[in-house]
Amino acid sequence: MFGRTSRIEKLKNQAEDTSFDLLGSFESFYEDVRPFVERLLYDDELRNNIRTLIDSGRRIYDEVSGQSPTEVVSRLWDDDRLRREVETAVAAAEAGSRRIRGEKVKNGGGGSSGKILFVLAAATGALFLNPKTGPAARRFAREAYSSLTSRS
C-alpha cells in the first residue's frame, strides 16, 4: 500500500539477496575450533583434568542425591571428605579451562578465587543436581537465559 513493502516481502528479498556459503562457514568454524580439538586430542593433562572432574562430580552427586539443599550445605560444612571431593572437582575444572585456552597451569595453592569457585560449585551442585530442586532450578535458569538472549 502506498509504495511500502510488507515485512514478509522484505524478509523474502533479504533471503534472496543473501546466499549462504556452507563450505565457507564450515571452514571458518573448523579454523576456530581446531586449536581446542588439538588440545583435547594431544594434551594428556587436559584429559586427566576432564576425567577427574567427571569422576569427582559423580562421587559428589552420589553422596548428596536425595538430600535437601540445607542438608547438602551442612554436609559440606561438616564432612571433610565431601569438601575435598568438591575442591578436587573445582581444581580440575579450573586447570582444564586454563589448559583449553592455552594458558599455563600452576601447581600449588589457590587464593581467594579457589574459595569463590568452591562456593559456586557447592551452590550449583545443591541447586541443579538435587532431584528435588534440580528441575525447578534448571527451568528457572533456562527461562532467565532465554529472556536475556531474546532481548538482544
Side-chain angles (χ1 to χ4, degrees):
M1 176 185 265
F2 302 110
R4 299 174 77 190
T5 57
S6 69
R7 180 167 189 231
I8 294 173
E9 290 174 355
K10 287 180 184 178
L11 291 173
K12 185 178 176 183
N13 291 337
Q14 285 178 352
E16 290 172 354
D17 292 342
T18 59
S19 62
F20 184 68
D21 183 17
L22 181 63
L23 186 60
S25 63
F26 181 73
E27 288 174 355
S28 172
F29 174 76
Y30 174 73
E31 290 301 319
D32 292 342
V33 174
R34 183 178 176 181
F36 300 113
V37 173
E38 286 177 351
R39 284 189 195 107
L40 280 172
L41 289 174
Y42 301 116
D43 191 348
D44 293 333
E45 288 297 319
L46 176 60
R47 287 197 305 269
N48 287 337
N49 290 135
I50 293 170
R51 189 176 301 117
T52 302
L53 176 65
I54 291 171
D55 291 342
S56 294
R58 254 190 220 131
R59 284 192 288 269
I60 292 167
Y61 180 75
D62 291 342
E63 286 285 326
V64 298
S65 63
Q67 296 180 352
S68 70
T70 310
E71 292 171 334
V72 171
V73 171
S74 66
R75 291 255 339 255
L76 283 171
W77 187 263
D78 295 333
D79 192 357
D80 290 334
R81 187 173 54 90
L82 183 62
R83 195 172 333 127
R84 277 193 306 270
E85 200 66 48
V86 171
E87 289 170 355
T88 301
V90 169
E94 188 176 32
S97 69
R98 284 192 178 145
R99 283 193 173 282
I100 198 84
R101 288 179 291 185
E103 298 176 5
K104 291 186 177 183
V105 178
K106 298 177 188 175
N107 294 333
S112 62
S113 65
K115 294 175 187 174
I116 292 171
L117 285 174
F118 171 77
V119 170
L120 289 175
T124 303
L127 288 175
F128 290 99
L129 299 177
N130 192 323
K132 293 179 183 176
T133 60
R138 288 188 294 270
R139 188 176 329 110
F140 173 77
R142 191 172 28 252
E143 291 172 357
Y145 178 75
S146 65
S147 68
L148 288 174
T149 56
S150 66
R151 292 182 185 172
S152 304

